[in-house]
């Protein structure tokens, strides 16, 4: 189904929404990888009320998925069926200190901005967000973390809408956090969160943020088209070590490459398709399995449909 057909099917059900609809929206313009096919319709709700009205209006058999800043997403070349929601900066991008140690923030705020708000307020514990290029919604879903801190250590409660547009407020325990994972129901769209830090002087916070930035600049290809860490660290070892030992540092398929600088980062060297990137990732998984018997799990979220004739078997180990 393409965007025009989808909207025609819905008739005037969506009349009155204030957000922006983009038909056949190129996800290569949205994701950090700068690759992948179009979403049938990209919807950017004006605010939480508009999002709830949208979710109530769209019949449940039509898929609705969520994209944040797109720094952890690999979109397949066939694109994404149905609606993709992206929270607007205006309606969901604010953050303010609500007590000497707590911040309430909208889910589209970039992590870097959240770190800056915490610095201004003299609230410690948010410096790690200075180095993560995503937004708060993605951080809440992925339990994003760095420099020994994870999102779960900061979350007090999260506001979310379900597929029917009903509001939920989830406690930290209800978010069901584990390493780079939340067990919160998949259909939930997080709209804002109350976050907990601790009082700290601004000089210390600034120094921590500078250290985060310096570390990134030296060990990660942060100016490339990438999705960050491709695979989760397996128990007892680091994904990059296993990728390296299996001889995959710098490995290239089409325009996709395992970064020579940080070999758990996959990069689009300029012409990579979603297929190139996913095929490269599965090839690395297969080689690591063969070399060390370890099954690497993707950290990057792969979404959408394959282009016809370009399907990839998950974990194509046995074929190679
Ligand atoms: C250079 C680079 C460095 C990185 N370094 C790190 C790092 O140190 N630590 C780390 O943890 N990650 C890192 N990442 C990965 C990425 O930045 C994080 O996972 C980030 O939290 C993703 O946020 P996003 O807004 O880009 O989410 P997206 O990539 O857009 O989406 C990720 C997932 O979150 C879901 N999602 C997004 N917004 C919402 C919402 N509002 N409600 C519900 N679900 C939502 C999406 O559906 C998807 O499943 C890095 C990425 C890059 C490119």
């Amino acid at each position: 189904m393409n965007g025009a057909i989808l909207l025609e099917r819905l008739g005037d059900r969506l009349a009155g929404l204030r957000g922006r609809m983009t038909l056949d929206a190129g996800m290569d313009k949205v994701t950090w990888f700068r690759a992948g096919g179009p979403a049938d319709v990209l919807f950017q709700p004006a605010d939480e009320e508009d999002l709830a009205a949208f979710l109530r209006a769209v019949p449940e058999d039509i898929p609705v998925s969520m994209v944040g800043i797109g720094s952890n997403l690999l979109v397949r070349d066939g694109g994404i069926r149905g609606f993709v929601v992206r929270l607007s900066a205006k309606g969901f991008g604010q953050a303010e200190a609500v007590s000497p140690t707590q911040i309430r923030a909208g889910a589209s705020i970039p992590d870097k901005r959240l770190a800056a708000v915490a610095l201004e307020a003299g609230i410690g514990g948010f410096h790690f967000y200075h180095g993560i290029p995503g937004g708060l919604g993605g951080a809440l879903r992925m339990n994003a973390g760095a420099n020994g801190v994870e999102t779960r250590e900061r979350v007090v409660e999260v506001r979310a809408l379900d597929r029917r547009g009903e509001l939920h407020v989830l406690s930290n325990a209800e978010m069901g956090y584990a390493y780079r994972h939340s067990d919160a129901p998949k259909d939930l769209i997080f709209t804002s969160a109350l976050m907990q830090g601790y009082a700290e002087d601004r000089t210390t916070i600034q120094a921590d943020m500078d250290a985060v930035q310096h570390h990134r600049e030296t060990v990660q290809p942060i100016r490339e088209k990438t999705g960050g860490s491709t695979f989760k660290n397996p128990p007892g070892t680091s994904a990059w070590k296993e990728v390296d030992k299996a001889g995959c540092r710098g490995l290239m398929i089409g325009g996709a490459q395992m970064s020579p600088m940080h070999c758990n980062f996959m990069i689009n060297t300029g012409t990579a398709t979603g297929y190139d990137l996913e095929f490269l990732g599965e090839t690395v998984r297969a080689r690591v399995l063969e070399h060390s018997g370890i099954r690497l799990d993707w950290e990057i979220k792969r979404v959408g449909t394959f282009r016809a004739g370009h399907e990839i078997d998950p974990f194509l180990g046995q074929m190679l």
Side-chain angles (χ1 to χ4, degrees), residues 30-32 65-74 85-87 107-109 111 128-129 131-147 151 160 180 185-192 216 220-229 265 299-301 303:
V30 170
T31 61
W32 262 62
S65 48
M66 188 62 212
V67 58
I69 288 181
S71 63
N72 202 56
L73 274 189
L74 199 175
V85 172
R86 194 176 204 210
L87 304 182
S108 78
I109 190 168
D111 292 340
F128 72 106
Y129 283 131
I132 302 181
L136 179 58
L140 293 169
R141 173 56 74 192
M142 298 301 302
N143 186 22
N147 309 89
T151 295
R180 300 293 177 270
K186 296 271 174 291
D187 66 316
L188 290 184
I189 296 181
F190 308 130
T191 57
S192 68
R216 298 258 159 191
Q220 293 182 357
I222 55 175
R223 301 195 200 293
E224 301 279 1
K225 303 180 185 82
T226 177
S229 296
F265 275 48
E299 179 169 326
I300 286 171
K301 299 276 186 196
V303 295

Side-chain angles (χ1 to χ4, degrees), residues 8-303:
E8 195 180 307
R9 181 183 154 194
L10 291 176
D12 59 6
R13 275 169 168 262
L14 304 182
L17 294 178
R18 290 168 287 118
R20 178 143 49 106
M21 300 269 176
T22 309
L23 305 194
D24 307 315
M27 296 302 289
D28 56 344
K29 313 269 184 321
V30 170
T31 61
W32 262 62
F33 273 127
R34 292 287 180 262
D40 289 341
V41 180
L42 182 69
F43 177 57
Q44 292 173 272
D47 51 31
E48 194 181 77
E49 201 182 296
D50 197 40
L51 176 59
F54 163 82
L55 291 166
R56 284 194 297 270
V58 176
E60 284 187 48
D61 63 315
I62 296 180
V64 173
S65 48
M66 188 62 212
V67 58
I69 288 181
S71 63
N72 202 56
L73 274 189
L74 199 175
V75 178
R76 296 182 173 125
D77 302 315
I80 307 177
R81 299 289 74 80
F83 289 94
V84 171
V85 172
R86 194 176 204 210
L87 304 182
S88 61
K90 200 166 171 219
F92 301 87
Q94 309 305 313
E96 59 169 347
V98 291
S99 84
T101 57
Q102 290 189 326
I103 297 174
R104 189 173 288 284
S108 78
I109 190 168
D111 292 340
K112 246 185 202 318
R113 176 74 198 127
L114 181 56
V117 170
L119 169 66
E120 280 160 35
I123 301 178
F126 291 84
H127 59 285
F128 72 106
Y129 283 131
H130 185 59
I132 302 181
L136 179 58
L140 293 169
R141 173 56 74 192
M142 298 301 302
N143 186 22
N147 309 89
V149 194
E150 287 181 321
T151 295
R152 69 169 143 191
E153 292 164 61
R154 300 281 78 90
V155 169
V156 178
E157 61 181 35
V158 178
R159 272 173 80 93
L161 295 173
D162 68 19
R163 181 61 187 80
R164 295 190 310 274
E166 280 172 29
L167 179 67
H168 301 258
V169 179
L170 291 88
S171 66
N172 183 305
E174 286 167 327
M175 290 297 285
Y177 279 127
Y179 168 55
R180 300 293 177 270
H181 176 79
S182 160
D183 256 346
K186 296 271 174 291
D187 66 316
L188 290 184
I189 296 181
F190 308 130
T191 57
S192 68
L194 180 63
M195 313 284 286
Q196 178 76 52
Y198 43 84
E200 193 161 59
D201 68 89
R202 289 183 184 79
T203 316
T204 308
I205 300 174
Q206 184 65 66
D208 287 345
M209 285 165 66
D210 291 346
V212 163
Q213 184 63 24
H214 178 72
H215 178 68
R216 298 258 159 191
E217 301 265 356
T218 42
V219 302
Q220 293 182 357
I222 55 175
R223 301 195 200 293
E224 301 279 1
K225 303 180 185 82
T226 177
S229 296
T230 308
F231 305 112
K232 296 184 187 183
N233 288 324
T237 181
S238 302
W240 75 264
K241 283 187 189 153
E242 300 309 319
V243 173
D244 210 8
K245 279 196 271 176
C248 297
R249 182 183 289 273
L251 181 68
M252 247 181 128
I253 290 183
Q257 185 181 33
M258 298 313 291
S259 163
M261 183 183 197
H262 188 318
C263 62
N264 192 30
F265 275 48
M266 211 161 44
I267 53 181
N268 174 1
T269 60
T271 57
T273 58
Y275 175 82
D276 292 342
L277 291 159
E278 189 163 358
F279 195 84
L280 174 62
E282 289 297 332
T283 302
V284 171
R285 292 180 75 217
R287 291 197 184 174
V288 169
L289 179 65
E290 198 179 21
H291 186 267
S292 58
I294 292 173
R295 291 171 179 268
L296 292 178
D297 286 334
W298 286 87
E299 179 169 326
I300 286 171
K301 299 276 186 196
R302 290 156 301 143
V303 295

